[in-house]
């Protein structure tokens, strides 16, 4: 069964840092681009970052550019999101998803709360 | 990178059809092969229901269909079922960025 499992969320002070991880299983992880999507409480989906299968090319939304970094370790079938200089507006459930154009498998999400 | 524009809500009775529109700029829809739609039920992860404008993943009923015209994409749900109630999001990958629509809440009356 194809699965994605996020971890690393939690409560962090404003200006702090956090690293999210997403472990994939049941598919050839390195063959697929991966994406992070977030959803603030009561709000819609927001595309955050994406990375190609080999990890060479990355993309970030303007709202996180310069603060967040997406990366992956294909030897561990794991996707990462390094988040720095966190703001209240970054409070959300963070989902990882398989794919870049069409995200066909999603994790259950990990919650990040930035406290003031 | 503004969100694509969707109606905030739509509704319909069981058996009826509803259409959800999704509009953006010509840059947002640079390649319609990269337009997809997602269904989300409360406290659940999103689910892919349409990709490449009008293709359905395995297991998605053919009641769901997609189309495009100009700088807009549409999702049509025919023969509404109670389980179709939820939030729907369009998504477009535009080359060096991607963007979701603001989301549409579908109510099945």
């Amino acid at each position: 069964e194809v699965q994605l499992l996020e971890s690393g969320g939690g409560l962090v002070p404003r200006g702090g840092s956090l690293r999210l991880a997403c472990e994939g299983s049941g598919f050839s992880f390195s063959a697929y681009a991966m994406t992070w999507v977030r959803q603030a409480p009561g709000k819609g989906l927001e595309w955050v970052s994406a990375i190609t299968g080999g990890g060479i090319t990355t993309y970030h939304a303007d709202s996180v550019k310069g603060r967040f970094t997406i990366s992956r370790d294909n030897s561990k079938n794991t996707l990462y999101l390094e988040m720095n200089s966190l703001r209240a507006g970054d409070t959300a459930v963070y989902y990882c998803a398989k794919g870049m154009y069409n995200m066909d498998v999603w994790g259950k999400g990990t919650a990040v709360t930035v406290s003031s | 990178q503004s969100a694509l524009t969707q109606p905030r809500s739509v509704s319909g009775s069981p058996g009826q059809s509803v259409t959800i529109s999704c509009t953006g700029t010509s840059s947002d829809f640079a390649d319609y092969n990269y337009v997809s739609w997602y269904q989300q039920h409360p406290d659940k992860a999103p689910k892919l229901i349409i990709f490449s404008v009008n293709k359905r993943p395995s297991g998605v009923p053919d009641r769901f269909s997609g189309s495009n015209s100009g700088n807009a994409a549409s999702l049509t749900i025919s023969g509404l079922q109670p389980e179709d109630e939820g939030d729907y999001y369009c998504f477009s990958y535009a080359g060096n960025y991607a963007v979701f629509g603001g989301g549409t809440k579908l109510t099945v009356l």
Side-chain angles (χ1 to χ4, degrees):
Chain A
E1 181 186 4
V2 177
Q3 285 188 326
L4 295 171
L5 182 62
E6 301 96 338
S7 61
L11 180 64
V12 60
R14 184 184 299 176
S17 299
L18 209 57
R19 188 176 82 157
L20 306 183
C22 168
E23 184 175 0
S25 60
F27 66 103
S28 180
F29 187 79
S30 62
Y32 292 91
M34 296 292 293
T35 298
W36 285 102
V37 174
R38 68 184 180 183
Q39 186 168 34
K43 303 296 185 183
L45 302 175
E46 181 186 8
W47 175 81
V48 175
S49 301
I51 187 168
T52 53
I56 300 300
T57 306
T58 62
Y59 306 90
H60 294 85
D62 286 348
S63 59
V64 306
K65 204 168 288 184
R67 300 187 300 122
F68 290 13
T69 302
I70 189 172
S71 63
R72 64 192 299 161
D73 184 340
N74 287 339
S75 69
K76 297 181 179 178
N77 289 349
T78 302
L79 173 74
Y80 300 102
L81 186 67
E82 185 77 39
M83 304 186 295
N84 299 312
S85 303
L86 283 162
R87 307 166 179 167
D90 296 319
T91 293
V93 173
Y94 286 72
Y95 296 100
C96 68
K98 170 177 163 281
M100 184 183 298
Y101 316 134
N102 316 298
M103 287 82 79
D104 61 350
V105 179
W106 294 65
K108 292 184 179 346
T110 186
V112 172
T113 302
V114 182
S115 67
S116 54
Chain B
Q1 297 180 8
S2 299
L4 303 173
T5 301
Q6 297 180 231
R8 296 197 72 169
S9 64
V10 297
S11 62
S13 299
Q16 290 186 331
S17 295
V18 295
T19 296
I20 299 171
S21 62
C22 171
T23 60
T25 67
S26 56
S27 297
D28 293 333
F29 291 111
D31 188 337
Y32 278 105
N33 284 325
Y34 301 147
V35 174
S36 51
W37 289 87
Y38 300 84
Q39 175 193 62
Q40 187 179 34
H41 290 129
D43 298 319
K44 297 291 187 183
K47 173 188 174 184
L48 176 68
I49 55 172
I50 293 288
F51 66 97
S52 298
V53 179
N54 58 6
K55 296 181 173 60
R56 285 175 288 106
S58 173
V60 174
D62 59 6
R63 304 185 290 102
F64 293 87
S65 63
S67 64
N68 69 280
S69 177
N71 293 333
S74 296
L75 171 71
T76 296
I77 309 172
S78 306
L80 273 176
Q81 301 289 319
E83 60 265 31
D84 297 335
E85 186 162 291
D87 296 321
Y88 291 82
Y89 297 89
C90 59
F91 173 84
S92 179
Y93 173 78
N96 60 353
Y97 72 94
V99 61
F100 281 97
T104 298
K105 182 175 181 59
L106 168 62
T107 300
V108 181
L109 302 170

